[in-house]
Amino acid sequence: MINIVSSEGFNENDLITFSRKIGYELPKDYIEFLRHHNGGYVKNSISSYFKNGKQKFFLTSMFGLGSDDDLLSRFETYKKRIPNTCIPIGRDAGGNLVCLNLSEDRYGYVYFWDHEEELNYEEGKITINDLYLITETFNEFLNSIERDDLKKSEEGYKVKKVWVDPDFLKELENNSDK
């Protein structure tokens, strides 16, 4: 289960405004998560998706409404980079996204978006089939998250190459001034 330091300041009016802006109603399980946590910083949590077998990723944050990692600003940043039926709801340690699908087909499914693969597509041309399924519901996603003992995972691990998403880098640089 997710280990999260929740964000404060959930406001029902922000939820209504966000839903109107994106043009979709959010799944009930995700709304309950927002009401209870409103996103936040995720600690020692890993999840997985399937791409040529099971792939794990370190979940670092979940976006909230009116928070530092605001859903609306993330939606605006990524709306032409991810499928138009999805909203970004979280981020991994490498700047990749966890996305929630809101289309009639596969409503509420949770996907992994790998930012390095976006270069393979023209702007606005990526589809839901280009993302990697994590789970079929948001609650399943929350229940699939495992706690990770960082000390154990660091043993024998060496970084070979690092790439940082330019938008994520700007965000880091802006936050370092605070």
Side-chain angles (χ1 to χ4, degrees), residues 49 51 96-97 112-118 126 130-132:
Y49 62 95
K51 173 187 172 186
N96 301 302
L97 298 175
F112 183 82
W113 175 77
D114 184 341
H115 64 74
E116 292 184 28
E117 293 185 16
E118 90 174 293
I126 193 166
D130 300 316
L131 303 184
Y132 302 101

Side-chain angles (χ1 to χ4, degrees), residues 136-151:
E136 293 184 7
T137 69
F138 184 74
N139 276 341
E140 284 178 20
F141 169 64
L142 290 178
N143 291 327
S144 74
I145 296 170
E146 303 169 13
R147 287 190 57 102
D148 183 57
D149 179 3
L150 292 176
K151 289 179 184 168

Side-chain angles (χ1 to χ4, degrees), residues 30-139:
Y30 183 61
I31 291 171
E32 287 307 311
F33 171 82
L34 288 174
R35 286 183 176 140
H36 189 259
H37 294 286
N38 196 29
Y41 169 71
V42 180
K43 301 189 310 185
N44 303 340
S45 295
I46 57 173
S47 188
S48 56
Y49 62 95
F50 291 89
K51 173 187 172 186
N52 302 323
K54 191 174 184 179
Q55 305 293 321
K56 294 190 180 244
F57 64 94
F58 289 95
L59 186 64
T60 58
S61 64
M62 295 294 292
F63 307 142
L65 294 163
S67 64
D68 288 340
D69 258 339
D70 183 58
L71 270 169
L72 187 55
S73 64
R74 298 294 159 241
F75 171 74
E76 291 296 333
T77 298
Y78 293 101
K79 70 181 175 184
K80 292 186 179 177
R81 296 171 64 188
I82 62 176
N84 63 1
T85 60
C86 291
I87 59 168
I89 59 170
R91 179 183 304 125
D92 82 345
N96 301 302
L97 298 175
V98 174
C99 298
L100 183 63
N101 185 42
L102 301 175
S103 70
E104 214 172 289
D105 182 39
R106 303 182 206 170
Y107 179 77
Y109 282 34
V110 180
Y111 290 90
F112 183 82
W113 175 77
D114 184 341
H115 64 74
E116 292 184 28
E117 293 185 16
E118 90 174 293
L119 300 175
N120 299 330
Y121 303 92
E122 290 179 40
E123 185 177 286
K125 299 294 182 187
I126 193 166
T127 70
I128 196 70
N129 294 325
D130 300 316
L131 303 184
Y132 302 101
L133 180 66
I134 298 174
T135 59
E136 293 184 7
T137 69
F138 184 74
N139 276 341

Side-chain angles (χ1 to χ4, degrees), residues 2-19:
I2 194 166
N3 181 14
I4 190 167
V5 177
S6 302
S7 295
E8 296 180 12
F10 175 80
N11 181 312
E12 202 71 36
N13 289 332
D14 290 342
L15 176 63
I16 293 166
T17 301
F18 180 70
S19 290

